[in-house]
Every structure is written in C-alpha cells, then in structure tokens.
Amino acid sequence: MPYALCFLLFMIGLYCVVVKKNMVKIVIGILVMEYAVNLFLIMLGYRMGGVAPIVGQSELDPSTGGLLSSFLNASVDPLPQALVLTSIVISLGSLALMISVCVRVYGKYGTFDITEIRRLKG
Amino acid sequence: MSIPLPLFVAIPLAAAFLLPMFGKKGKSAATVLANMVTLSLLVLAIVTIRQYGAYEVGKWSIPLGIILVRDGLSSLLLLAIGVVSSAAMLFSTRYMEQYTAKAKYLSLFLLMVAGMNGVVLSGDIFNLYVFLEIASIASYALVGFGCEHEELEASFKYMVLGSIASTFILFGIALVYGNTGALNMAYISKAIQDSGVNAGLAFALALFVTGFGLKAALVPFHAWLPDAHPSAPAPISAMLSGILIKTLGVYALARMVFNVFGVSVEIGWLLMVLGLSSMVVGAFLALGQWDFKRLLAYSSISQIGYVILGIGLGATLISQQASLAWASLAILGGLFHLVNHAVYKSLLFLTSGSVEMSTGTRQLREMGGLAERMPITRTTCAVASASIAGVPPFSGFWSKLILVVAAVQARLFWVAAIIVFVSLCTLIMYLKIHRYVFLGEVPRSLEHIKENKGSMLVAMVFLACLCVLMGLLVLVPGLRENVLDPAVQVLTDGVKYSADVMGMTIGT
C-alpha cells in the first residue's frame, strides 16, 4: 500500500510536468517526482519498530560471537538512507540550475508561459 | 606499467575545479591546461587499451563498496571519449574566443568528460547514476552557455526531459535494489540469474529502457535533441552528438540489457524496433531542415538508430540460440558504427562551427560558394559526409556493410533494405549541405569571408584523417583484436559478466 501511494506521488509529479504551462510549476513537478523516488528508497529500508543498525556489545551473541538474530531481524537497512542523501544533493544541484535558467528565460522573454516561449521550431 | 582506474575520473575532475581559479588573466594558461588534460586522457586510454581489471574504491571489498570495472566495452568507449574530447577541446581553443567566461566553459567541459569516463568505468549501478548526473548537469549548463533566447529555451527543454529520464533511472535502480538487495552490477546479475525476472524487475527494465532511451534520443523520446544540440556552441554540439548520447544512452542501455538483466527475444526486438524507427524518422525529418546544425542533429538521431539496431539484432540472435558468429557480427557492426559516428558526426559539427564562425549564419539558404574561400573546411566536411553516407572506402561504409551482412544472415531482408534506404537518404541530405553551403553563387554579404586558422583546422584535419583510417580497425586483424573484438566479446558473453567481474576482484 505505501508503495502504491509512492507511485501515485510519482505519477502526480509526471502529470504536473506534462500538463502545466508555467515553467516554475514544471520544475516543481520534477521535484515531486524526485521526492517520490526518494521516499520509495527510504521505504525499501524501513522496518516498523526497527532499531538503528549499529552494532555494540549488547548486539553480539555471547555463545557464538556472531550477531543476535533478533538484532538482524529488527535493524533497518542503512544503505538506502545513504543513497537518498546522495540523490538529494544531486537534485539540489539540478534544481539550482533549473531555477537559474528560469530566471534568465524570464529576463529574456518576460514570461514563464511555455506556450509563448517558442522560438525553436521543427 | 599499471595505471589506477580512478585516474580517468580524477584527472578531469581535479582540473575542472582548478580551472575557474585562473580568472581572466590566466585564460591562455587555463586553455593549455585543459588541452593537456584531454590529450593525456586520450594517451592513457590508448596506452592501457588491453589493461582490464577492477578497482575497489577505498579498499571496500564488494558487495559492500563501489568498484570500477574496465573491460573491453569500457576500453572502447574510453578511447572514443578521448578522441572526441581532445578534438573538441582543441577546436574550442580558438572558437570559444567569441564567448566570455572561457575558463568556466573549460571547467564544465572537463566535468562532462569526468562524468562520462565515470559512467563507462562504473561497476556499481548507483555510482553509474551519480556519474550520469554529473555529465548531464554539465551538459545542461553548456547547452545554455550562450544565454540568448534560443539557447535558454533549448537548455530548459533539455533539462526537463533529462531530469525526467534521470528520475526514471533512479526509480529503476530503487526497484532493482528492492528486488535483489544488491547495487553492484555483478551481484545484481547473479541474483537475477538465480531468481529469474519477476514483475518488479521487468518494470525496472522498462524504466531503464525509457530513461536511457530518453538520454540516447531514440525516436519516441527524441524531442529535445534537435533543439539542444544546435543551440550549444559547436564544440559542445560535437561532444553531445558525438559521444554524450552514446555514453549515457547506448552504452548504459547495452550494459543493463546484456550484462545485468540478460537478453531475451522480446528485448532484442524492442531495441530493433526503436532503432529502425529512429533511423527512418530521423532521416526523413533531417531532409526537410534548412538550418545547418539542426540537420546534423536530426541525422544524429538516425545514426544512433543504426547502433541500437545492430545491438538489438545481436540480442535477438543470441537469445534465439542462433549462430553466435552472426550475433557477434551484428554487435560488431553496431559498436563499430558507434565509434565511427563519434568521429564523423563530431567532425561535421566542427565544420558547421567553422562555417558559422566565418559567415555568422546557420541558414543553408543564406550561404553558398564557400568551396574556394574555405578549402580545408570544405574538404574535411566532404570526407565526413562521404563517411556518414557510406561511400567506400571511408569508415561509415564498413560498419553499414557489416550491419547489412548481419541482417541478411539473420534472414531479415527487409531490415537490410531499410538500412540501405536510410543510407541513401543520408547521402541526399549531405549532398544538400554541399550544394547550398559550398557550391553555387557566393551571396554578396559573404564575399569577404576567410578560412579559419590555427587550432580549429588542426582539430578538423585530425578527425578527417581518422575518418579515412578508421576502416583499418576492422580490416587489420591486429587492431580489431585489440580494440573492437574485446568489446563485442563483453556483450556476447552476456550475464557471464558477473563471474568475470568477481574473478577480477579476487585477482587484485
């Protein structure tokens, strides 16, 4: 169910990019898509009532020296969180570039409406 | 002598951050440094052409850490990136004098090179995405570099479609991670072989085909390319058309389909249909263009179709258990066409830049009779046109011949007929360029123009020589065994890739 909602959010973003005519709204649509993917990544590693994946003395099994199976079953997957951090930084970079291009386009054309910004044809 | 793989990414990345510090006064020093970087990357790629291996970043062993893998296919792409980027950088030395902020341009250029080298070397699917974004974001900025009306509009369009493609790819990566629990391509491939392709993985593959197809500008996804490529400065057009769409699109797609997911008849046919539609639609749209660079951009779509067709034909033949020799011939044709197209399309964009710099226009109807005034530009353009149209003995002829032979051997005669037909259309569109740009009457406004000098000519002549000599890559067995055959081998081996990579990391 949460995955379906995540996909719905992704589709809302895509719809926004395809339908909206205002450049800034298109940028917002792209951001919504990126957030949906980030959310999806986070949920892949999420566990209801999970514990932080940090191994201390109390997580080790005294008899075998390995990890306790209760810890392995409860700890969340830390890797998607690292991926999401990277992906947030990347989307920040592309957001900055997109917004600056929007500002420059507004300076040249005096409008954000993409139906009026049509010098390129063919 | 063993050269660590991260150097291919680290050298351009470090230089990219150094260059903006030179400022206005150190402009010539910055140019020299940037040229040295691209040339040294080319030399490194040639010297270490057979030096395959894996490198564990930060000494984290797989599957925990990120690895860089160099095999035959990576080597081929590194070589192509080296050739095109050195020629384009040499051309920029003079051409970019008309723009301000040259140091920033050089810095973005090198970031793009670093990103592309990273994409072809990465053995980790998320790391591939990161490098892909580095190259893409640098290219968005470079398309809008002129900051005029058209450039900004094209840059925005490219950015929107490129960001959608990147989001699709990231979504696909998340799905793959959720289904296989690995990010290392070798481990993913092993997990997929063990478990088979389930619905989630099939959806991920569809997302990859869409995402990388958008980056490669295959026909249903091609809308951004004819705007973005002509709007960029000429050397950047050469980089984008010549190598960027191939690295981010074709290479990444081929790697995913062949080495990670494994080929099937359906995906082979899907690639063939995408390739054929790109070839035909791109060629027809190109014929109607009157803008020099726009025509070249549409022709790029058509030529990318050949590459995808060759790879798709190979995938179909492999998964039908047909003769492996003909499958590898089809893939050889595709990959050889990829390298050829990198050389002659970047040369064509450079000649268009040379013409634009002298005449100040890109409209074919406003030009004419430049043959006597710009003899070297004319000659190099003629060589590249003959090559792209498939006139023997230039390089394009050999790759198209291989594709036709492979299609006939696969009993797909109509595919062979389409290849020949599109080749004819290509010939017509380049005859059109010659008729309107280099032959005929000189318009009064263009009577005083002169040939460009210096580094621009050197870059064009260098690529023109390659166009003539590239045929040797298939004809001389020694060269073929070192350059093309290993790359074909990587793709025909398919999912054996995972075992190869794991073997490499144990070896190091």
Side-chain angles (χ1 to χ4, degrees):
Chain A
M1 185 63 196
Y3 294 116
L5 285 177
C6 213
F7 190 66
L8 185 70
L9 190 62
F10 186 80
M11 282 315 193
I12 290 173
L14 191 58
Y15 173 82
C16 177
V17 174
V18 174
V19 172
K20 291 292 172 189
K21 295 202 169 67
N22 188 314
M23 287 172 76
V24 180
K25 287 184 183 163
I26 292 177
V27 174
I28 293 173
I30 291 174
L31 283 182
V32 171
M33 281 169 72
E34 275 165 2
Y35 292 155
V37 175
N38 289 348
L39 194 62
F40 181 67
L41 270 168
I42 281 287
M43 282 197 318
L44 285 176
Y46 181 75
R47 258 185 198 154
M48 198 72 95
V51 297
I54 300 168
V55 177
Q57 202 63 49
S58 58
E59 277 77 29
L60 293 176
D61 193 341
S63 55
T64 60
L67 293 168
L68 281 176
S69 59
S70 62
F71 170 73
L72 283 179
N73 289 331
S75 61
V76 296
D77 185 355
L79 189 63
Q81 300 175 2
L83 301 187
V84 164
L85 275 181
T86 316
S87 126
I88 287 174
V89 174
I90 291 174
S91 59
L92 177 75
S94 64
L95 171 69
L97 188 64
M98 274 191 276
I99 289 296
S100 49
V101 169
C102 284
V103 171
R104 293 301 291 263
V105 167
Y106 190 79
K108 292 279 177 193
Y109 288 85
T111 174
F112 279 132
D113 189 342
I114 51 164
T115 50
E116 288 170 35
I117 305 170
R118 294 197 77 95
R119 288 223 185 163
L120 297 167
K121 285 190 223 66
Chain B
M1 187 180 65
S2 151
I3 292 163
L5 286 178
L7 272 187
F8 284 102
V9 184
I11 294 176
L13 204 58
F17 286 105
L18 264 179
L19 285 172
M21 292 180 202
F22 281 87
K24 274 212 172 91
K25 282 185 187 147
K27 205 166 69 174
S28 47
T31 316
V32 171
L33 178 65
N35 271 302
M36 275 166 58
V37 167
T38 48
L39 264 180
S40 63
L41 287 177
L42 173 62
V43 172
L44 271 183
I46 293 175
V47 170
T48 62
I49 186 101
R50 285 303 295 263
Q51 189 189 313
Y52 307 138
Y55 177 89
E56 294 170 343
V57 180
K59 294 283 170 211
W60 288 83
S61 58
I62 53 170
L64 289 178
I66 292 170
I67 55 166
L68 299 179
V69 180
R70 182 169 182 187
D71 53 16
L73 189 58
S74 309
S75 275
L76 182 73
L77 264 292
L78 276 182
L79 190 63
I81 294 170
V83 168
V84 176
S85 61
S86 343
M89 187 55 100
L90 200 58
F91 191 85
S92 323
T93 309
R94 199 179 158 81
Y95 184 82
M96 291 309 288
E97 290 298 322
Q98 15 175 358
Y99 292 80
T100 52
K102 192 174 177 191
K104 293 199 183 74
Y105 162 85
L106 297 171
S107 167
L108 283 170
F109 189 113
L110 290 181
L111 266 183
M112 198 161 86
V113 174
M116 288 192 292
N117 278 347
V119 166
V120 296
L121 285 177
S122 177
D124 180 282
I125 193 170
F126 190 78
N127 195 34
L128 187 144
Y129 168 77
V130 173
F131 281 122
L132 180 135
E133 279 293 86
I134 294 177
S136 308
I137 294 179
S139 70
Y140 306 151
L142 283 168
V143 166
F145 199 76
C147 274
E148 287 304 318
H149 289 83
E150 289 86 359
E151 279 101 342
L152 289 169
E153 188 188 335
S155 172
F156 186 73
K157 200 169 175 182
Y158 178 27
M159 218 179 314
V160 169
L161 287 170
S163 299
I164 293 177
S166 306
T167 328
F168 274 33
I169 294 165
L170 186 59
F171 201 0
I173 291 171
L175 276 170
V176 166
Y177 179 70
N179 278 299
T180 62
L183 284 172
N184 187 293
M185 289 198 230
Y187 278 78
I188 296 171
S189 166
K190 195 155 157 271
I192 291 177
Q193 284 172 68
D194 292 343
S195 69
V197 177
N198 60 22
L201 286 171
F203 185 48
L205 184 57
L207 285 171
F208 284 138
V209 171
T210 319
F212 293 127
L214 259 166
K215 295 269 181 200
L218 298 176
V219 137
F221 319 116
H222 68 287
W224 57 272
L225 188 141
D227 292 336
H229 287 193
S231 301
I236 294 305
S237 312
M239 283 293 282
L240 293 179
S241 258
I243 200 77
L244 190 88
I245 49 175
K246 302 196 183 71
T247 316
L248 304 192
V250 177
Y251 165 81
L253 191 58
R255 185 64 98 192
M256 284 296 151
V257 168
F258 280 83
N259 294 147
V260 176
F261 283 87
V263 289
S264 61
V265 178
E266 294 80 16
I267 191 80
W269 272 102
L270 178 67
L271 290 180
M272 277 173 71
V273 169
L274 283 174
L276 284 171
S277 56
S278 302
M279 280 161 66
V280 176
V281 175
F284 281 157
L285 287 172
L287 281 174
Q289 298 300 319
W290 287 100
D291 180 322
F292 196 163
K293 283 172 86 175
R294 216 177 164 79
L295 194 155
L296 296 182
Y298 274 113
S299 149
S300 279
I301 299 175
S302 156
Q303 300 293 316
I304 271 291
Y306 279 98
V307 180
I308 290 288
L309 172 71
I311 291 172
L313 187 59
T316 320
L317 289 178
I318 290 175
S319 46
Q320 280 172 345
Q321 311 288 333
S323 150
L324 196 62
W326 298 121
S328 51
L329 191 71
I331 295 175
L332 174 72
L335 290 180
F336 187 41
H337 200 76
L338 184 154
V339 186
N340 283 338
H341 181 246
V343 172
Y344 52 61
K345 186 47 69 68
S346 46
L347 174 54
L348 282 167
F349 268 113
L350 294 187
T351 55
S352 83
S354 167
V355 168
E356 189 188 354
M357 194 166 166
S358 296
T359 62
T361 177
R362 296 205 308 242
Q363 298 304 315
L364 294 178
R365 285 196 182 98
E366 292 168 15
M367 297 185 227
L370 301 184
E372 284 172 18
R373 288 182 170 70
M374 306 179 74
I376 296 181
T377 306
R378 190 260 169 121
T379 316
T380 50
C381 186
V383 170
S385 309
S387 202
I388 197 171
V391 178
F394 296 103
S395 57
F397 167 72
W398 302 106
S399 51
K400 286 181 186 176
L401 183 71
I402 293 172
L403 282 175
V404 171
V405 172
V408 169
Q409 288 299 331
R411 304 272 157 228
L412 295 167
F413 297 105
W414 57 278
V415 172
I418 292 179
I419 295 175
V420 175
F421 172 71
V422 172
S423 195
L424 194 68
C425 293
T426 314
L427 182 63
I428 295 172
M429 69 183 107
Y430 286 96
L431 284 178
K432 176 174 163 181
I433 286 184
H434 279 270
R435 158 74 183 74
Y436 283 96
V437 177
F438 296 111
L439 304 175
E441 294 285 302
V442 183
R444 177 159 294 173
S445 57
L446 298 180
E447 272 172 357
H448 305 293
I449 63 154
K450 288 196 189 74
E451 177 72 291
N452 292 297
K453 295 189 200 73
S455 69
M456 290 168 71
L457 288 189
V458 177
M460 291 193 296
V461 171
F462 166 63
L463 287 177
C465 293
L466 275 185
C467 269
V468 180
L469 298 176
M470 287 278 274
L472 296 179
L473 269 184
V474 275
L475 296 179
V476 178
L479 281 173
R480 195 179 64 218
E481 278 158 19
N482 278 316
V483 182
L484 284 169
D485 283 349
V488 175
Q489 187 74 34
V490 169
L491 290 185
T492 45
D493 279 351
V495 286
K496 210 167 132 275
Y497 169 81
S498 74
D500 288 348
V501 170
M502 287 177 198
M504 277 184 201
T505 45
I506 291 162
T508 50

